[in-house]
Every structure is written in structure tokens, then in C-alpha cells.
Amino acid sequence: MAADPPRCSDSSPAPAGTMPCQNQQPGSGPAEPAAHKQLRFAESVENDVRGAGGSGESSPASSNGSEDNGSSAARQEQEEQLLAQKIGPQLKVLPINDQIRELQTIIRDKTTSRGDFVFSADRLIRLVVEEGLNQLPYTESTVTTPTGYKYEGVKFERGNCGVSIMRSGEAMEQGLRDCCRSIRIGKILIQSDEETQRAKVYYAKFPPDVYRRKVLLMYPILSTGNTVIEAVKVLIEHGVQPSFIILLSLFSTPHGAISIIQEFPEITILTTEVHPVAPTHFGQKYFGTD
């Protein structure tokens, strides 16, 4: 019978010989045994420079198509650099690759079937969650392998939780549980007031000791940022420090990211893409209410 997957929660520690929730290696430099570390989980936007060594020079294009692609990449690079200067290192974007780009394309395509949409969204969510876990604190851990050798590894510290902003944020809960099966998850329901159009909190339920935990706040689409700002305010009212909040999202607009960071400079935002047009149909398509 296969062994149960590892836990990332405040439950009892896993027995010796098990691996942490993610295969992570501690920093190359020596560290004090008692001190915990934090892994940098994704390159900040200011370091996410794509091109010929970041020099701004491009190789000669062999066709009009390649020239267009080069111009588009250069424009995207300039936009990201300007955005990084405005926001700073608190905004982190997953390093782009063809796999992520394809998932983004499928999610944005209006002709995508709901089955393909959910499948692609779940894959992208899993990538974001895995990267988000890299920001959680861990300690050095030594285990004994079946052959009797000592292995110097790491284990996550206890005291983390997830909070989903209903309803679209609930789409990310399973991805988090797949990585940390016993992690506690709270919920916040925020909707726009019909008269004022301002975000209003209707429901909030968290673990009783949420103020002591690192919080993975889940909301897939950052458009204006107003909903997330209200959610963070509620968490702060419950004693959570902004520096303990890691916002996991799939897509963000520049306006949304800037609004959140300006309001809470210590919060960390992790996303796969910053683009002026966000796929705001995500929640309806994912849950089949479109």
C-alpha cells in the first residue's frame, strides 16, 4: 500500500524518512540550525527580463514574423520594467514558459469548452500554489534513509493556512489541499454594493488563531484590486500582519496590482501574468454559471 502524502499543516510532524511537501533545497551557504529560512519562490518582475541577456539588443530578424515577435517581446519587457519601478519586488511573476503560455491561452479563448477550461485552470492553479509554498518558512531537518544514510533536508514549519475569497477563490482550494492535505482554509465573501458599487464584506470565517499564521490568500483574477483590499482589511482586523499574507492569483491587471501594493506595501503578490485585460469570466466559466 502506498504511503500517505506528506502534510503541510499544524498537525503532528511526519515520521522520519518522509519528505517535505516540496523537494526544496536549503541555501548553499551555512545556516544556524535553530534559525528558520524562507525560500524566494519566484523572480520579481524587476528581474523577469526576457531577451538577449537583458541588453536591449536583439538579433537580426529573418522574417517579418520574427520582427513582430521581437517588437512584442521588447514592449512587454519595457512594460514589466516600468511596472517593477512602480510596484517593487512585492509583485512576483512566475517565469514564463510555453506550458504556462498555452494554459493562459486556453483560459482566455472564448471557444474553449468548460471541461478544457477547468482542466487548464487547475493545472495553472497548481503551478501557482507550488510556487506560493516556497515562500513559507522551513527549518533544517535530518532524516535516515532506508539504506541507513543521513540526509540533510528541510521541513516546513507549522502554522500556515489558506483563505479563499468566495466564489472564484474557491476554485483554488483543491490545488492547495493537493499539496497540503490537512491545511486549514478560511473563507471571505465580498460582493459589490448595488448602490455604491463598493466592495462589501458579507461573511468571514477563519481559523481561531489566524493571527499567528502565514496566510495564503486565494483569488484568481485581480482586476481593480478592490475585493482583495477589503479581504486584507478583514484579515488585519483579525490580527494578521500584512507581511504574513501571500496573495495567490492567476491573472492581474497593472491597476489591480498597484492598488493593492500601494494600500499594503508589505503584502506579497504572486501571479502568472500582468496584463491590462484580465479574464474576468473565470469564475462563471469554472463553475459553469456562464
Side-chain angles (χ1 to χ4, degrees):
M1 181 180 295
D4 289 336
R7 298 172 179 262
C8 269
S9 68
D10 51 354
S11 58
S12 59
T18 59
M19 295 298 291
C21 276
Q22 286 181 290
N23 268 335
Q24 298 167 324
Q25 295 182 355
S28 56
E32 297 180 4
H36 74 266
K37 297 181 180 179
Q38 284 189 341
L39 284 175
R40 186 183 181 95
F41 60 112
E43 293 297 328
S44 60
V45 178
E46 58 192 336
N47 292 329
D48 189 21
V49 178
R50 306 179 185 92
S55 63
E57 299 178 358
S58 58
S59 58
S62 58
S63 66
N64 291 336
S66 57
E67 287 178 358
D68 292 340
N69 291 338
S71 300
S72 176
R75 283 196 301 270
Q76 182 177 357
E77 178 181 329
Q78 291 174 356
E79 290 171 359
E80 289 178 346
Q81 289 175 338
L82 291 174
L83 189 62
Q85 294 174 5
K86 241 180 181 180
I87 298 180
Q90 294 307 103
L91 173 65
K92 301 179 187 293
V93 180
L94 266 67
I96 195 68
N97 54 44
D98 290 340
Q99 176 184 207
I100 291 177
R101 177 68 72 176
E102 182 190 30
L103 295 175
Q104 293 169 340
T105 303
I106 294 172
I107 291 171
R108 287 182 177 274
D109 187 354
K110 68 178 183 179
T111 66
T112 298
S113 67
R114 180 171 177 265
D116 289 344
F117 183 95
V118 172
F119 180 80
S120 299
D122 286 344
R123 286 185 60 199
L124 196 59
I125 288 168
R126 180 64 179 263
L127 293 173
V128 171
V129 169
E130 292 282 9
E131 288 292 342
L133 291 174
N134 283 338
Q135 184 68 1
L136 300 178
Y138 69 92
T139 55
E140 305 286 351
S141 176
T142 301
V143 298
T144 303
T145 69
T147 55
Y149 286 94
K150 298 293 183 181
Y151 178 79
E152 301 291 337
V154 299
K155 65 178 179 180
F156 282 99
E157 292 188 346
R158 295 181 295 175
N160 308 306
C161 72
V163 172
S164 64
I165 301 177
M166 303 164 66
R167 180 181 185 191
S168 60
E170 293 177 306
M172 305 180 73
E173 290 183 5
Q174 189 58 49
L176 180 58
R177 286 196 176 99
D178 287 343
C179 298
C180 301
R181 65 177 185 177
S182 297
I183 194 168
R184 304 189 69 174
I185 296 179
K187 294 178 183 289
I188 305 178
L189 174 60
I190 300 176
Q191 293 180 344
S192 297
D193 187 274
E194 293 182 359
E195 296 181 359
T196 63
Q197 298 300 314
R198 297 186 61 182
K200 183 178 179 181
V201 179
Y202 286 88
Y203 173 83
K205 185 174 180 60
F206 311 121
D209 58 346
V210 67
Y211 61 90
R212 296 189 303 178
R213 297 173 180 264
K214 286 269 191 179
V215 176
L216 297 172
L217 184 60
M218 296 174 285
Y219 196 59
I221 309 299
L222 303 183
S223 183
T224 65
N226 294 338
T227 299
V228 171
I229 289 173
E230 290 301 317
V232 174
K233 288 180 179 177
V234 175
L235 288 170
I236 292 175
E237 290 173 1
H238 284 73
V240 179
Q241 301 178 35
S243 60
F244 279 23
I245 300 174
I246 304 167
L247 175 60
L248 306 182
S249 70
L250 303 184
F251 301 90
S252 175
T253 65
H255 174 75
I258 291 172
S259 298
I260 294 169
I261 295 297
Q262 286 180 342
E263 188 79 16
F264 307 106
E266 295 180 341
I267 196 174
T268 297
I269 299 176
L270 171 64
T271 187
T272 72
E273 184 180 51
V274 179
H275 191 279
V277 180
T280 53
H281 66 292
F282 181 92
Q284 290 83 0
K285 187 87 170 185
Y286 190 94
F287 293 105
T289 58
D290 53 342

